[in-house]
Amino acid sequence: MVVLSLGLVAVAAAACQAQVPVVEGRPDPAKARTEFEAARKQEKDLISELTILQAEFQQPGADRKAIAEKFEVARAKIPATKDRLETAVFALALAEPKDKLARDICGAVIASRLKVDDPGAALEMATILDKAGQLGQDEWLVMRRHRPSPWW
């Protein structure tokens, strides 16, 4: 399941402008879990739709123009789906700090921002976890690398 989440995050990070998830305070764990599961389902459905359209496009005699149009409509959903998933996963990581999947995806989101050369967004995301006392070692390294320390 992480592969799907990481796949869309990587595609979306390259495809659209970085928006940092807005998570304030400590979210309710039940609501955070419900929103995360709904966001993951939306992501899986979108990936499935894009995969099916790619396969249909390759079929002999396919109406490629119509399929390409459907693909573009589906592809336009990527930024909103990515934003929803990122916000949900950061909320879940704050609500349930021991949730390894949520923490892994948060780390992957931060890493993907660095890969697309957006250290500012990566730093903001790491700061979300830091302010809540949920910053892991990997995220801490991101912050130290990109934010000057008053001690060094």
Side-chain angles (χ1 to χ4, degrees):
M1 302 313 146
V2 175
V3 173
L4 288 177
S5 297
L6 300 181
L8 186 61
V9 165
V11 168
C16 56
Q17 286 251 338
Q19 289 196 344
V20 177
V22 177
V23 181
E24 295 179 8
R26 186 172 182 120
D28 174 60
K31 288 180 183 177
R33 169 74 52 199
T34 300
E35 176 57 17
F36 175 67
E37 294 301 331
R40 281 184 58 203
K41 181 181 180 332
Q42 180 182 355
E43 174 207 31
K44 288 177 188 178
D45 292 347
L46 181 56
I47 290 171
S48 294
E49 181 181 358
L50 290 167
T51 302
I52 289 168
L53 289 169
Q54 279 184 320
E56 288 175 359
F57 189 84
Q58 301 300 323
Q59 296 298 314
D63 183 356
R64 290 187 173 192
K65 183 179 179 186
I67 294 170
E69 288 172 3
K70 289 179 187 177
F71 188 86
E72 289 305 316
V73 168
R75 199 168 92 164
K77 297 175 188 175
I78 291 174
T81 302
K82 175 200 69 78
D83 290 345
R84 181 181 184 195
L85 180 62
E86 286 181 359
T87 300
V89 78
F90 273 83
L92 182 60
L94 296 178
E96 296 182 17
K98 296 186 191 258
D99 188 305
K100 182 167 175 18
L101 176 62
R103 296 300 303 274
D104 286 349
I105 295 173
C106 285
V109 169
I110 292 170
S112 73
R113 294 303 166 88
L114 290 174
K115 286 181 183 176
V116 297
D117 200 25
D118 191 359
L123 180 59
E124 287 182 54
M125 291 175 182
T127 301
I128 292 169
L129 298 176
D130 187 38
K131 285 181 180 177
Q134 302 302 322
L135 193 66
Q137 182 178 0
D138 293 339
E139 295 88 6
W140 182 86
L141 290 172
V142 167
M143 289 187 70
R144 290 294 143 222
R145 182 173 177 205
H146 295 284
R147 180 175 70 182
S149 171
W151 309 108
W152 300 331

